[in-house]
Amino acid sequence: QTVVTQEPSLTVSPGGTVTLTCASSAGAVTNDYYPNWFQQKPGQVPRALIYGATNRHSWTPARFSGTFLRDKAALTLSGAQPEDEADYYCLLFKGGISVFGGGTRLTVL
Amino acid sequence: EVQLVESGGDLVQPGASLRLSCAASGFTFSTYWMSWVRQAPGKGLEWVAGINPDGSEKYYVDSVKGRFTISRDNAKESLYLQINNLRVEDTAIYYCARQWVYWGQGTLVTVSS
């Protein structure tokens, strides 16, 4: 089955901007894969941030945005806050099959 | 308010079986795709199985095919995961999710001799 790859870890300064990416071993990530992004803090349930590559949920802070970057899905955090330190997972869904990326541990430091 | 409440997790020996349940409320259960996702201790999220709204389509990650069975009862607004021949590597928190917005709190499955 498809392997979805994310950066294992990234660091961003408070107030800074960082981009996380999501690549597929099956080729270019497109809207056909309905990319989703989730945030998970230690000991907590994953929380949905972005769906359909670019759409924020009602609870998603505006500093998070989703897009496509070359052949990947991307999550950009602009104006990082200390509370954004967490693990971030992308998910690709097509034809009934869902695959999570390995996750990116984001440190705000 | 959307609620998903999992149950059925337990400490079991290798080779045992378990049936996980997820009780849904606060939305029209019969109209949504549902999935089970697991997370082993200290590891990432792994999608395990998904089912379409009327239960006619079921999908699984390759590693669990033949051992895991996803099902649903729309009249009872419940999702299930039957796990047979449990292995140590199945140890994880199992989450029920309404694709892909709402998640339950999870139920812990521990497989150990």
Side-chain angles (χ1 to χ4, degrees):
Chain A
Q1 283 180 322
T2 301
V3 175
V4 177
T5 302
Q6 300 180 241
E7 297 85 2
S9 64
L10 290 169
T11 299
V12 61
S13 300
T17 297
V18 64
T19 296
L20 291 63
T21 66
C22 176
S24 170
S25 65
V29 177
T30 66
N31 262 324
D32 289 345
Y33 290 94
Y34 202 69
N36 281 252
W37 290 92
F38 301 88
Q39 178 192 65
Q40 187 181 33
K41 297 181 179 180
Q44 295 187 15
V45 176
R47 182 175 75 140
L49 287 178
I50 299 288
Y51 64 98
T54 62
N55 304 289
R56 280 188 289 266
H57 290 285
S58 59
W59 52 80
T60 303
R63 61 183 180 271
F64 290 94
S65 61
T67 187
F68 290 100
L69 191 62
R70 293 183 285 276
D71 291 340
K72 304 176 184 180
L75 176 70
T76 297
L77 171 58
S78 303
Q81 302 297 309
E83 60 265 30
D84 298 329
E85 186 161 292
D87 293 328
Y88 291 82
Y89 295 91
C90 71
L91 175 138
L92 303 181
F93 171 71
K94 186 177 182 182
I97 301 293
S98 296
V99 184
F100 283 96
T104 296
R105 177 150 294 178
L106 182 65
T107 301
V108 181
L109 188 61
Chain B
E1 179 193 6
V2 172
Q3 287 200 329
L4 297 168
V5 180
E6 302 93 336
S7 60
D10 203 352
L11 168 61
V12 298
Q13 293 189 335
S17 296
L18 278 177
R19 188 193 197 205
L20 307 184
S21 299
C22 171
S25 61
F27 65 100
T28 307
F29 180 74
S30 62
T31 64
Y32 286 92
W33 280 79
M34 299 293 295
S35 273
W36 288 96
V37 176
R38 68 182 178 183
Q39 187 168 35
K43 301 297 184 181
L45 301 173
E46 181 183 32
W47 172 81
V48 171
I51 188 168
N52 73 333
D54 68 7
S56 62
E57 298 177 35
K58 303 176 183 182
Y59 301 89
Y60 303 91
V61 67
D62 283 348
S63 60
V64 308
K65 285 179 182 176
R67 294 193 303 122
F68 287 25
T69 302
I70 189 171
S71 63
R72 65 192 297 161
D73 186 331
N74 286 343
K76 294 183 177 179
E77 297 189 311
S78 293
L79 179 72
Y80 306 101
L81 186 68
Q82 176 69 38
I83 310 176
N84 296 328
N85 191 20
L86 275 153
R87 304 169 179 169
V88 171
E89 55 266 32
D90 294 321
T91 294
I93 297 173
Y94 285 73
Y95 296 103
C96 159
R98 193 193 93 176
Q99 291 184 200
W100 276 108
V101 182
Y102 296 102
W103 297 60
Q105 291 299 308
T107 187
L108 178 62
V109 173
T110 304
V111 186
S112 174
S113 55

